[in-house]
Amino acid sequence: MFWIKIEKETRPEIIKDFDNYGKSKKVLVLIEGKEPLVAEYNSGIENGEKWEQWYCPDYEDTIEGVTAWCDCIPRIH
């Protein structure tokens, strides 16, 4: 297991596409001063502008301040 820093412009792979955005599988994320959280990375294009966000299913909301992520949560089928 290793953490991938956000400053490297590396994001989790988009695995599911919708009409106007895509999302990654769930990963662990670090936010300074907090415990690791499970989240997914979302990105899309709106009005010609690319956007991205981290979404935490437990909070049912987006989260700010993600500094690193770790791809260590297995998929459940």
Side-chain angles (χ1 to χ4, degrees), residues 3-77:
W3 292 98
I4 301 168
K5 292 184 179 184
I6 295 298
E7 63 195 34
K8 290 183 178 180
E9 298 298 321
T10 313
R11 303 293 189 268
E13 177 185 359
I14 299 296
I15 62 164
K16 193 166 190 180
D17 285 314
F18 299 94
D19 288 336
N20 59 348
Y21 79 100
K23 69 178 186 175
S24 73
K25 72 176 189 175
K26 291 175 177 63
V27 296
L28 281 180
V29 297
L30 287 179
I31 299 173
E32 191 172 329
K34 296 187 178 184
E35 294 290 322
L37 294 172
V38 173
E40 61 190 36
Y41 172 72
N42 301 152
S43 70
I45 297 176
E46 186 174 329
N47 299 324
E49 297 286 324
K50 184 176 179 180
W51 60 268
E52 63 181 10
Q53 67 184 17
W54 292 94
Y55 177 78
C56 179
D58 289 342
Y59 292 161
E60 296 182 352
D61 202 359
T62 58
I63 51 177
E64 300 288 329
V66 174
T67 59
W69 62 277
C70 180
D71 184 10
C72 67
I73 301 173
R75 291 186 194 184
I76 298 173
H77 295 277

